[in-house]
Amino acid sequence: MIFSKCKKDDCSKKAVYLSNYCFEHSQDKDDLIKKIYTFVDKNKTLIGFNFSYIPFNNFNFSTKDISFSFFSYCQFENSNFRETRIVSSFLDFANLDDTDFTSSNIKFSVFGGASIQNGIFKDSNVNFSNFLGVNLRNANFNNSDLGYSRFINAITQNTSFFNCNLKKTVFENTVFDEKSLKSSNSQDAIIINCTAIDCNIKDYIL
Amino acid sequence: MKIFTTLNPKNISNIYLITDDDQKYGVIIDPGSLSMNVYKLIRFTGAEIRKIIITHNGINQTAGIPLLNKIYKPEIFAYNETILDLPATKVKNGFVIKEGDMEFKIMETPVHTYDSISVFIENSLFVGDVLQAGALSSLDKKNVPTNFELNVIKKYFLSLPENTIIYPGKGPATTLEIEKKFNPYFQRIVNG
């Protein structure tokens, strides 16, 4: 979990794993990507690695145990995170479109600024996590524990939080529709300046 | 430097343990309790707790100090000269706390309380209750930040590198980049 700085002068980014440079300044990117794929594929437990900006599209992370790691600005389109444990990790500004997190266990992790269109988080624990400004169009969080997570300025069009634990979950400037929070304890959530389409926002707050 | 996070189970606030690369020495920020999970974390790292930094003098930040003091006798750093009747080294703007090769730089950030400080080390910023991801605290009872408080944030936080990771006293971590883009108060500052 020791991150060295990119060796390129004036670059403040962390060096990516298996390189002395950040991904942008690494020389043979194709070779680096191949080596990283092999490493990630072989290891079930990933603790303290920086993989920021690496494309992981269609990659299988299912059942892996990931902690204290950086995946900022990574591409994860159509990747599989089913039953994955993710703790204290950063997936900020990542592209997670069509990604499946079903039955995952996520804590203290940062997804701020990510695109998670068609993302599936059903039957998961997603606690103390940062979803600021995420694009969650057509996402599914049904039957999940979202306690203490923060969805501020998130786009939640056609996103369902059916039957979720929303204790201290923060929604601010979020748009809900009739089915968004059905059967969830929305009275325990913190709902600020949100709007509702085809339903009464007070039904969720009171 | 390594950063470990655990929860104070009593009030669900964060307790941070920062160690050197070899996990020989540790500094705890805001030990709001010394419950079993905190103690297990310290034992897990094997670090000797040399110093405690308090981001403001509240029970959620200090309740674990008496027990830590019995076990490790750490030096306490805070804006106040005493914490729970124990002597503390008073820190001010620009004060640097050194532990091994780690250097914790202090910023006076009177946003949540008048004695609130923030702590910067490498690219990590520990802000106590000054902010949570997407929100900003205030001295005002209505919890609406004033121009004075927004200026504190502008002066101290917005001048930090974009890749700064922010570790609040409550809730998930965030980054300066995320806050600039999605925290309504940061947006107000950035947009003038």
Side-chain angles (χ1 to χ4, degrees):
Chain A
M1 200 178 15
I2 301 159
F3 300 105
S4 51
K5 260 183 72 177
C6 173
K7 288 234 181 325
K8 173 87 174 171
D9 289 345
D10 300 330
C11 180
S12 61
K13 288 179 184 158
K14 288 183 277 296
V16 74
Y17 182 59
L18 297 174
S19 172
N20 290 320
Y21 297 90
C22 68
F23 185 62
E24 184 191 349
H25 295 127
S26 291
Q27 289 298 309
D28 189 345
K29 290 187 173 58
D30 289 341
D31 185 54
L32 177 62
I33 289 170
K34 268 185 201 165
K35 285 176 181 166
I36 286 176
Y37 284 177
T38 304
F39 176 81
V40 174
D41 199 39
K42 272 187 183 171
N43 288 278
K44 187 172 162 53
T45 303
L46 299 167
I47 303 176
F49 295 105
N50 177 31
F51 298 117
S52 295
Y53 292 89
I54 300 288
F56 282 105
N57 295 331
N58 303 301
F59 207 91
N60 184 14
F61 290 89
S62 181
T63 72
K64 287 193 187 296
D65 188 341
I66 300 168
S67 50
F68 302 106
S69 292
F70 288 85
F71 294 89
S72 306
Y73 285 96
C74 283
Q75 301 287 322
F76 291 106
E77 261 183 86
N78 205 30
S79 288
N80 178 7
F81 284 86
R82 291 172 76 98
E83 297 181 51
T84 302
R85 181 173 177 266
I86 303 174
V87 178
S88 296
S89 292
F90 289 75
L91 295 87
D92 48 318
F93 299 100
N95 182 344
L96 290 151
D97 292 349
D98 302 300
T99 298
D100 187 357
F101 287 88
T102 299
S103 302
S104 56
N105 191 356
I106 299 169
K107 287 189 168 48
F108 297 111
S109 290
V110 178
F111 293 80
S115 180
I116 318 181
Q117 295 190 68
N118 307 308
I120 304 170
F121 285 81
K122 64 181 183 178
D123 306 321
S124 297
N125 295 312
V126 188
N127 308 119
F128 299 98
S129 290
N130 175 340
F131 287 86
L132 265 64
V134 292
N135 182 348
L136 285 168
R137 285 190 175 90
N138 304 312
N140 175 348
F141 285 84
N142 296 346
N143 306 312
S144 291
D145 181 352
L146 306 178
Y148 296 90
S149 286
R150 298 172 74 83
F151 294 80
I152 295 171
N153 281 333
I155 297 167
T156 58
Q157 192 182 336
N158 200 30
T159 291
S160 57
F161 298 93
F162 178 81
N163 194 34
C164 288
N165 174 30
L166 300 178
K167 184 177 178 185
K168 302 276 186 189
T169 307
V170 181
F171 295 97
E172 185 170 349
N173 297 328
T174 307
V175 179
F176 297 120
D177 61 30
E178 188 185 9
K179 57 187 179 181
S180 295
L181 304 175
K182 225 165 194 174
S183 300
S184 295
N185 56 337
S186 57
Q187 69 280 7
D188 294 329
I190 300 166
I191 297 176
I192 306 164
N193 200 26
C194 293
T195 48
I197 297 169
D198 297 333
C199 62
N200 190 346
I201 190 70
K202 285 181 182 171
D203 293 342
Y204 290 141
I205 298 171
L206 299 176
Chain B
M1 178 192 72
K2 296 180 182 178
I3 299 170
F4 300 88
T5 309
T6 190
L7 274 180
N8 175 356
K10 285 183 184 166
N11 58 23
I12 320 293
S13 58
N14 298 322
I15 298 171
Y16 296 106
L17 168 58
I18 298 102
T19 73
D20 62 318
D21 291 346
D22 299 326
Q23 296 178 203
K24 281 185 180 173
Y25 311 118
V27 174
I28 293 187
I29 297 180
D30 290 341
S33 76
L34 188 56
S35 52
M36 193 48 78
N37 60 323
V38 183
Y39 186 64
K40 276 183 179 172
L41 175 63
I42 297 169
R43 292 291 299 269
F44 166 76
T45 64
E48 181 190 341
I49 304 304
R50 295 280 194 90
K51 293 180 171 71
I52 289 172
I53 305 174
I54 302 300
T55 59
H56 73 274
N57 191 2
I59 196 70
N60 295 342
Q61 288 68 36
T62 60
I65 290 179
L67 201 46
L68 279 167
N69 192 49
K70 279 186 184 171
I71 301 170
Y72 298 101
K73 299 267 180 233
E75 193 176 357
I76 302 166
F77 295 84
Y79 187 79
N80 317 79
E81 288 173 343
T82 57
I83 297 286
L84 300 180
D85 294 330
L86 291 166
T89 300
K90 183 174 172 64
V91 295
K92 288 188 167 184
N93 241 352
F95 190 99
V96 176
I97 300 165
K98 292 185 180 177
E99 181 56 56
D101 58 358
M102 300 186 289
E103 292 192 352
F104 300 81
K105 188 182 172 192
I106 302 298
M107 303 170 191
E108 289 180 33
T109 48
V111 173
H112 176 66
T113 58
Y114 288 105
D115 62 349
S116 290
I117 58 167
S118 298
V119 184
F120 187 68
I121 175 169
E122 294 183 15
N123 70 334
S124 300
L125 179 67
F126 298 86
V127 295
D129 288 341
V130 165
L131 71 82
Q132 291 189 54
L136 191 59
S137 187
S138 174
L139 294 164
D140 185 86
K141 282 179 184 169
K142 291 175 187 166
N143 217 26
V144 178
T146 61
N147 283 339
F148 167 76
E149 290 158 334
L150 295 177
N151 280 331
V152 169
I153 298 301
K154 183 179 180 180
K155 183 176 176 185
Y156 292 109
F157 293 179
L158 294 192
S159 58
L160 295 173
E162 190 88 336
N163 63 349
T164 299
I165 298 171
I166 301 173
Y167 293 94
K170 288 194 174 71
T174 187
T175 68
L176 188 57
E177 186 180 12
I178 292 172
E179 295 305 308
K180 277 184 181 176
K181 286 183 176 158
F182 305 115
N183 182 321
Y185 296 108
F186 276 61
Q187 285 175 328
R188 197 191 296 176
I189 301 166
V190 170
N191 298 328

